[in-house]
Amino acid sequence: MKTTLSVLASLVGLVLAALPSFAADSCGGGCPKLPSNARAVSAELVPLAAYPGNTLSATLAKGKKKTILMADGMLTDGPIAEGVSREYDLGISVNGLSMQPGLLGPGSPEADEDCGVLRSDPDRTCTVTGHWWLDMDDPANAALLGVPITVTLVGGDISGGPAVGAPIDMSLRVRLEKK
């Protein structure tokens, strides 16, 4: 029985190692012209890293007055959920500046989901989402007007636990909305 479990665990490990990763971008085809108002990017079946090792970025043509920059991010288990202790966290920044909420600074973990790190019953599947915004008219954000703006989402397992290396999916959606 012990040998059968070892062989099964080895086969699962080989399948996980063989999974190809995928990326998608709403810009499509390499983005010869940056989009002005909205962009979505994703990565699928990428290995989970310790926080902040998983990264996605989306660039818009330029920041504009009388708009609010909105961003939504997600990190979730891939198709083969691990059921082991893990805590997923997300943080975000735009051109190195914090978005709201962002009390602890650019890229600091603002959204988190405990899927068993502080509990004795790890969840079979785990997902963390976050929603951020930035008022482009705020004088503190003047450096973002008229220049390309790159929103960077960082994520991972802040505990660095046994799920590190397992396949995950990440997604980032960025929009400039008129006030």
Side-chain angles (χ1 to χ4, degrees):
M1 180 70 175
K2 189 174 183 180
T3 304
T4 303
L5 289 176
S6 295
V7 170
L8 183 58
S10 296
L11 288 173
V12 168
L14 286 173
V15 168
L16 289 175
L19 288 174
S21 59
F22 300 95
D25 188 335
S26 64
C27 193
C31 224
K33 180 182 175 195
L34 290 173
S36 59
N37 293 323
R39 190 162 184 188
V41 295
S42 64
E44 298 175 37
L45 300 174
V46 296
L48 175 65
Y51 185 87
N54 294 104
T55 304
L56 277 180
S57 293
T59 303
L60 297 178
K62 63 181 178 177
K64 302 173 192 171
K65 290 183 178 184
K66 299 181 183 175
T67 61
I68 297 174
L69 178 65
M70 308 290 281
D72 303 305
M74 187 245 346
L75 185 152
T76 189
D77 292 322
I80 303 170
E82 290 267 328
V84 296
S85 296
R86 60 214 182 279
E87 181 180 335
Y88 291 166
D89 283 71
L90 293 174
I92 202 159
S93 64
V94 55
N95 290 17
L97 299 174
S98 293
M99 293 184 73
Q100 300 298 323
L103 182 63
L104 300 176
S108 62
E110 286 293 334
D112 63 90
E113 180 65 31
D114 176 11
C115 296
V117 170
L118 300 176
R119 300 187 335 250
S120 62
D121 60 337
D123 296 338
R124 190 182 70 74
T125 59
C126 189
T127 299
V128 61
T129 60
H131 309 280
W132 296 271
W133 62 274
L134 188 75
D135 184 347
M136 298 300 283
D137 291 329
D138 185 329
N141 303 324
L144 299 173
L145 298 175
V147 299
I149 51 175
T150 300
V151 176
T152 302
L153 179 72
V154 295
D157 184 345
I158 204 156
S159 73
V164 169
I168 55 131
D169 300 336
M170 278 182 84
S171 180
L172 171 63
R173 180 177 65 166
V174 177
R175 303 171 313 285
L176 267 177
E177 295 183 3
K178 290 182 182 181
K179 288 184 179 181

